[in-house]
Amino acid sequence: MPNPYFKFKQFTVFHDRCAMKVGTDGVLLGAWAQVDTAKRVLDIGTGTGLIALMVAQRSAACVVGTDIDGEAVEQAMENVNASPWKNRICICRKDVMQMNGEEYGSFDVIVSNPPYFVEEVRCPDERRDTARHTGNLTFGNLLTAVEKLLTEDGVFSVIIPADAGDFFISLAAEKHLYIQRKTLVHTKPGAEPKRVLLAFGRKICAYDTEHLVVELDRHVYSKDYIELTKDFYLNM
């Protein structure tokens, strides 16, 4: 039987009632996003609450995590309440497309590990299907919500499949959100990138494309990956 929780250095995430479990994508985004000076952070599609917890560990910000899955929201609340930052994190069951600045205010940092599978073959588990596929939150809808809720100088960070990166960047530009950072994630040296970490703001600026290798060999992690995640993983 799979372990119902994942233990980090400063908090534990139970995920047995969540459609999507703790995974490398969420850890990468939670560790990579620039949040050190953040005051208000929105985590769209918070799931287990993992990224919200990581952001709270790395900053003094107030964090709001939203999700449409009721069971995930309940478990995320439990994870948050058992953490050292329960007074700075609010988890709510809310469709981000229904959020507005008048009611919720704006956020200087927005993060999301969104659903991204768009193929016709659907998962028989309806909750997992919702968490994995873009039908409920398309890239366009996500960017529309971000454009509405991000402060003028705010930053939106996201992790998506690498082969969708250029499309996402062009779609964001249509919403006047422009790429500021880009890191391609490789599972091993020489492998094609599987994921891309992207950060956007409202101003056009120059940026470099960086590369991050996760493993040099099975369970032998690269120095860059260890440096990025060492504050979280128990054995890093």
Side-chain angles (χ1 to χ4, degrees):
M1 177 182 249
N3 201 325
Y5 64 87
F6 198 103
K7 189 170 180 57
F8 293 90
K9 284 181 176 176
Q10 295 192 41
F11 60 90
T12 298
V13 176
F14 281 83
H15 55 193
D16 52 299
R17 305 203 314 273
C18 294
M20 296 302 290
K21 312 304 181 186
V22 170
T24 303
D25 287 5
V27 173
L28 280 168
L29 181 61
W32 181 87
Q34 291 179 325
V35 301
D36 49 314
T37 61
K39 294 175 180 166
R40 298 192 76 232
V41 179
L42 175 64
D43 176 20
I44 299 174
T46 195
T48 63
L50 167 64
I51 296 172
L53 287 160
M54 294 180 71
V55 168
Q57 179 179 323
R58 296 179 56 218
S59 71
C62 293
V63 184
V64 176
T66 67
D67 208 296
I68 61 172
D69 185 325
E71 281 199 69
V73 166
E74 288 183 11
Q75 188 149 55
M77 286 179 176
E78 292 170 6
N79 290 330
V80 165
N81 287 334
S83 79
W85 313 287
K86 62 182 180 182
N87 294 329
R88 287 197 285 116
I89 306 175
C90 172
I91 305 294
C92 58
R93 186 177 185 181
K94 189 73 177 179
D95 183 344
V96 71
M97 293 302 295
Q98 297 174 2
M99 294 177 66
N100 58 73
E102 290 76 17
E103 183 179 0
Y104 290 91
S106 55
F107 298 85
D108 54 339
V109 170
I110 298 177
V111 292
S112 185
N113 175 16
Y116 51 76
F117 289 102
V118 294
E119 71 274 10
E120 290 302 317
V121 179
R122 311 294 279 190
C123 174
D125 182 329
E126 184 178 348
R127 290 178 62 235
R128 186 171 172 83
D129 186 71
T130 297
R132 287 164 60 91
H133 289 77
T134 60
N136 293 76
L137 182 64
T138 66
F139 286 162
N141 284 346
L142 173 61
L143 288 162
T144 295
V146 170
E147 196 281 329
K148 181 173 57 175
L149 295 167
L150 190 68
T151 62
E152 189 61 31
D153 296 319
V155 178
F156 164 53
S157 297
V158 65
I159 184 166
I160 57 173
D163 58 9
D166 289 342
F167 170 69
F168 196 93
I169 290 169
S170 64
L171 202 60
E174 294 176 9
K175 308 288 186 182
H176 307 290
L177 296 168
Y178 305 104
I179 184 71
Q180 295 184 344
R181 293 175 68 205
K182 179 179 180 180
T183 299
L184 289 164
V185 181
H186 307 259
T187 55
K188 59 184 179 180
E192 288 295 312
K194 292 292 187 182
R195 298 286 184 267
V196 62
L197 290 151
L198 302 169
F200 298 87
R202 296 188 185 274
K203 297 180 177 65
I204 298 174
C205 65
Y207 70 95
D208 294 321
T209 298
E210 300 177 345
H211 295 264
L212 174 68
V213 174
V214 175
E215 288 184 316
L216 301 177
D217 204 345
R218 184 163 176 79
H219 301 312
V220 179
Y221 297 100
S222 73
K223 289 182 179 179
D224 288 342
Y225 185 72
I226 291 171
E227 182 63 28
L228 183 65
T229 62
K230 66 182 181 182
D231 291 337
F232 300 99
Y233 284 131
L234 287 174
N235 298 319
M236 289 295 192

